[in-house]
Amino acid sequence: MGERVGDLLPTIIRPQMDTTPFVVRETHLETSGELPGDVIDLVDNKAYLPRHRKLQREHGDKVLLKLAELAKTKGKPSRWYATVTSVANWGRTLAMVKELLATTRRAVEVMAKLDADPTWLRWYVKTVATHSEARIAQWVERAQRGRRPARLFAHLAGGVS
């Protein structure tokens, strides 16, 4: 026991380790930070622009631009846009837009398989939204065997008699 406490201190007190993380997360923003012009035009009270910038940061431009596109089809576009982007309605709006984007993507895939005319996109979106994915796949498979696949698909879907 001839050791002194002062001799043991360097072994007990170790230098602090560097606590900086080894992996630094990279953040990627798909937006430039500027709101699209269509969105700015729909916001009547410019005091709400920070709310829309927050929505843009969290969900990207695609959702806001789709809402702006839908707003143009309404009687009072700015009023409708303000209602759907409100805090109270945002959860329901986000679910609706995500479903619409997914349905549109599936409809475009169906149209590509059938070599359909792009002007019929709205009809294909409605058809894909109302019928099950299995039924749509069955109709596409049957229609691809015909002479005019797009027309046969429409007949199978009940759109053309």
Side-chain angles (χ1 to χ4, degrees):
M1 241 178 125
E3 296 181 23
R4 298 176 61 191
V5 177
D7 296 334
L8 295 175
L9 281 179
T11 59
I12 295 172
I13 301 174
R14 296 185 182 125
Q16 293 274 332
M17 292 180 56
D18 187 19
T19 58
T20 57
F22 291 105
V23 178
V24 178
R25 292 183 68 166
E26 293 183 21
T27 57
H28 172 71
L29 295 175
E30 70 176 54
T31 61
S32 64
E34 294 291 324
L35 284 172
D38 294 341
V39 172
I40 292 174
D41 293 342
L42 288 172
V43 178
D44 290 335
N45 187 349
K46 302 305 181 197
Y48 285 101
L49 286 178
R51 162 109 178 112
H52 296 283
R53 285 190 192 98
K54 177 186 176 199
L55 293 175
Q56 180 190 34
R57 279 192 311 271
E58 292 177 355
H59 306 289
D61 281 342
K62 191 180 288 188
V63 172
L64 293 178
L65 288 173
K66 186 52 118 175
L67 286 173
E69 180 184 335
L70 289 172
K72 291 177 183 175
T73 65
K74 307 299 179 189
K76 295 181 181 178
S78 61
R79 171 79 177 160
W80 184 86
Y81 185 79
T83 302
V84 297
T85 57
S86 69
V87 175
N89 294 329
W90 182 249
R92 207 172 39 185
T93 299
L94 186 60
M96 181 231 4
V97 170
K98 284 184 176 182
E99 179 66 28
L100 180 63
L101 290 173
T103 304
T104 304
R105 183 184 44 77
R106 286 196 318 261
V108 167
E109 289 173 3
V110 167
M111 291 176 70
K113 288 179 182 178
L114 300 174
D115 196 29
D117 186 16
T119 58
W120 288 90
L121 177 64
R122 289 184 183 200
W123 182 85
Y124 279 93
V125 169
K126 178 183 162 226
T127 303
V128 168
T130 55
H131 298 289
S132 70
E133 198 168 332
R135 180 169 284 174
I136 295 293
Q138 180 186 25
W139 289 341
V140 168
E141 185 179 326
R142 287 176 63 190
Q144 285 178 330
R145 291 186 239 144
R147 284 181 292 168
R148 296 189 308 195
R151 187 167 175 93
L152 182 56
F153 179 85
H155 177 72
L156 293 170
V160 176
S161 33

